[in-house]
């Protein structure tokens, strides 16, 4: 019969053992005395044992009840502890945390991200890596803790995306060049800065310009943001980038309103970790860093 015991009734048993009164137990449980009595009767039937005897001083547990009570208390306490939501203490986290970012974002925000996470998670090892064609596979296999990239509607169902902040794609040039006229700049050579996972072979932002009848001469096809910036400082060259990623010493060139192109900077993680306290903590730290850059 014991295999059919209602565990909720065991909590009532423990409480009645403590207060020795149906009335007091009913107040604690928020139910009637009759309901408490019926619960004890059902438990007695399920266990096929007498659980209490009425005495002048109240309900007294039988020898059987006294025998099982310590183990019941211990077992139910263990269950409650197991089911209790685990709190996350970043100061006690000893994990190796690998964060993958596009190279252009890593160049601009890498030091700030590293210092912020190291301060918040002093016992953890922080590893920052550039996003590459194997990043999503490594993330799905648990080798990368968290990724930062722009929202991708075609992402695998194994990966969960969460918005960090909005961003906008722009045309930019070095501040050392005086012109601020799009009609002039659009005839300059452009840099196509490839970003793995976003525009490996094409630029969604550039495609927006094409639909409006604008074409650019992408004379430079580069992977390195630093090399791109060197060209821009030394020559009259423009680039397609984002407001978040534009470095100091460069400026936005106003473009036609119809060409405006919004993006959503997002965190990426394994789907199974989307409610993991550590991953939620890391996401929030990234939100703080990138929203402060507005």
């Amino acid at each position: 019969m014991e295999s059919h015991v209602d565990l909720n009734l065991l909590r009532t048993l423990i409480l009645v053992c403590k207060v020795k009164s149906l009335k007091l137990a009913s107040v604690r449980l928020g139910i009637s005395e009759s309901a408490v009595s019926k619960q004890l009767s059902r438990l007695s039937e399920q266990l096929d044992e007498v659980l209490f005897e009425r005495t002048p001083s109240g309900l007294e547990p039988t020898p059987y009840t006294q025998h099982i009570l310590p183990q019941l208390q211990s077992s139910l306490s263990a269950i409650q502890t197991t089911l209790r939501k685990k709190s996350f203490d970043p100061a006690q986290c000893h994990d190796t945390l690998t964060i993958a970012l596009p190279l252009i974002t890593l160049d601009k925000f890498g030091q700030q991200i590293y210092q912020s996470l190291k301060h918040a998670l002093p016992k953890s090892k922080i590893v920052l890596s550039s996003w590459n064609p194997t990043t999503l596979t490594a993330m799905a296999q648990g080798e990368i803790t968290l990724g930062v990239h722009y929202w991708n509607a075609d992402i695998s169902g194994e990966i969960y995306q969460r918005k960090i902040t909005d961003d906008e794609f722009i045309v930019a040039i070095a501040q050392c060049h005086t012109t601020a006229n799009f009609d002039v700049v659009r005839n300059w050579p452009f840099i196509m800065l490839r970003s793995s996972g976003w525009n490996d072979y094409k630029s969604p932002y550039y495609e927006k310009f094409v639909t409006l009848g604008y074409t650019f001469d992408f004379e430079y096809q580069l992977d390195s943001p630093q090399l791109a910036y060197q060209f821009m400082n030394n020559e009259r060259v423009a680039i397609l980038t984002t407001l978040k990623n534009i470095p100091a010493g460069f400026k936005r060139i106003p473009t036609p309103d119809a060409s405006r192109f919004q993006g959503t900077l997002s965190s990426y993680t394994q789907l199974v970790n989307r409610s993991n306290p550590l991953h939620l903590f890391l996401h929030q730290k990234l939100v703080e860093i990138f929203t402060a850059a507005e």
Side-chain angles (χ1 to χ4, degrees):
M1 295 292 289
E2 289 83 355
S3 61
H4 301 290
V5 170
D6 185 340
L7 296 182
N8 288 317
L9 301 181
L10 296 177
R11 295 188 176 89
T12 300
L13 173 69
I14 292 172
L15 177 59
V16 174
C17 284
K18 180 179 180 180
V19 299
K20 298 184 178 182
S21 164
L22 293 180
K23 182 176 181 179
L24 291 177
S26 69
V27 172
R28 296 277 189 92
L29 295 172
I31 58 178
S32 66
E33 290 184 48
S34 174
V36 175
S37 179
K38 289 178 181 178
Q39 287 186 5
L40 293 178
S41 295
R42 288 207 306 275
L43 182 59
S44 180
E45 291 175 2
Q46 291 171 3
L47 294 174
D48 195 24
E49 292 283 351
V50 177
L51 301 176
F52 292 95
E53 297 289 354
R54 291 185 178 274
T55 71
S57 59
L59 293 177
E60 289 291 340
T62 63
Y64 172 80
T65 303
Q66 293 176 21
H67 173 71
I68 65 172
L69 183 62
Q71 189 62 45
L72 284 180
Q73 291 173 317
S74 176
S75 298
L76 290 179
S77 176
I79 291 173
Q80 291 174 339
T81 300
T82 300
L83 297 179
R84 188 177 299 121
K85 187 175 181 179
K86 183 180 179 181
S87 60
F88 174 66
D89 183 0
Q92 299 304 317
C93 179
H94 292 77
D95 297 348
T96 295
L97 308 175
T98 302
I99 315 295
L101 307 96
L103 190 54
I104 188 172
T105 309
L106 183 60
D107 278 358
K108 182 173 182 181
F109 292 96
Q111 182 177 2
Q112 186 179 357
I113 291 172
Y114 181 88
Q115 291 176 338
S116 176
L117 295 183
K118 194 61 183 175
H119 176 75
L121 301 132
K123 296 181 180 179
S124 295
K125 181 179 180 181
I126 310 299
V127 179
L128 301 184
S129 66
S130 60
W131 193 290
N132 62 62
T134 67
T135 294
L136 289 175
T137 299
M139 190 179 300
Q141 295 173 349
E143 298 169 6
I144 292 179
T145 312
L146 203 75
V148 176
H149 217 312
Y150 290 89
W151 187 275
N152 186 343
D154 299 322
I155 210 70
S156 162
E158 295 178 290
I159 303 298
Y160 182 76
Q161 300 176 80
R162 182 179 276 114
K163 175 181 174 180
I164 295 176
T165 187
D166 291 321
D167 199 359
E168 184 176 357
F169 287 77
I170 63 169
V171 173
I173 65 173
Q175 287 183 349
C176 60
H177 305 304
T178 57
T179 183
N181 188 319
F182 174 69
D183 287 332
V184 173
V185 172
R186 71 188 178 94
N187 294 310
W188 288 11
F190 270 70
I191 292 174
M192 174 67 75
L193 188 61
R194 292 187 291 265
S195 177
S196 181
W198 173 254
N199 67 334
D200 302 80
Y201 304 106
K202 63 180 181 178
S203 167
Y205 183 35
Y206 176 57
E207 291 173 358
K208 185 71 174 288
F209 280 105
V210 171
T211 63
L212 298 174
Y214 298 105
T215 58
F216 304 143
D217 175 17
F218 287 101
E219 183 174 326
Y220 305 88
Q221 301 275 334
L222 303 174
D223 294 326
S224 168
Q226 292 304 318
L227 181 57
Y229 302 151
Q230 290 177 28
F231 278 114
M232 293 172 69
N233 277 315
N234 295 319
E235 303 178 29
R236 296 167 72 84
V237 180
I239 194 172
L240 303 181
T241 184
T242 75
L243 276 177
K244 293 292 183 185
N245 288 313
I246 188 171
F250 295 81
K251 61 184 176 182
R252 175 181 188 172
I253 298 298
T255 60
D257 288 344
S259 70
R260 298 191 67 172
F261 190 85
Q262 300 291 324
T264 301
L265 192 64
S266 307
S267 67
Y268 288 60
T269 189
Q270 280 183 301
L271 178 63
V272 296
N273 281 320
R274 67 176 182 173
S275 59
N276 184 313
L278 168 61
H279 290 245
L280 292 173
F281 178 84
L282 292 173
H283 172 82
Q284 186 55 41
K285 296 303 292 184
L286 293 169
V287 170
E288 294 171 5
I289 291 169
F290 284 104
T291 54
E294 295 178 353

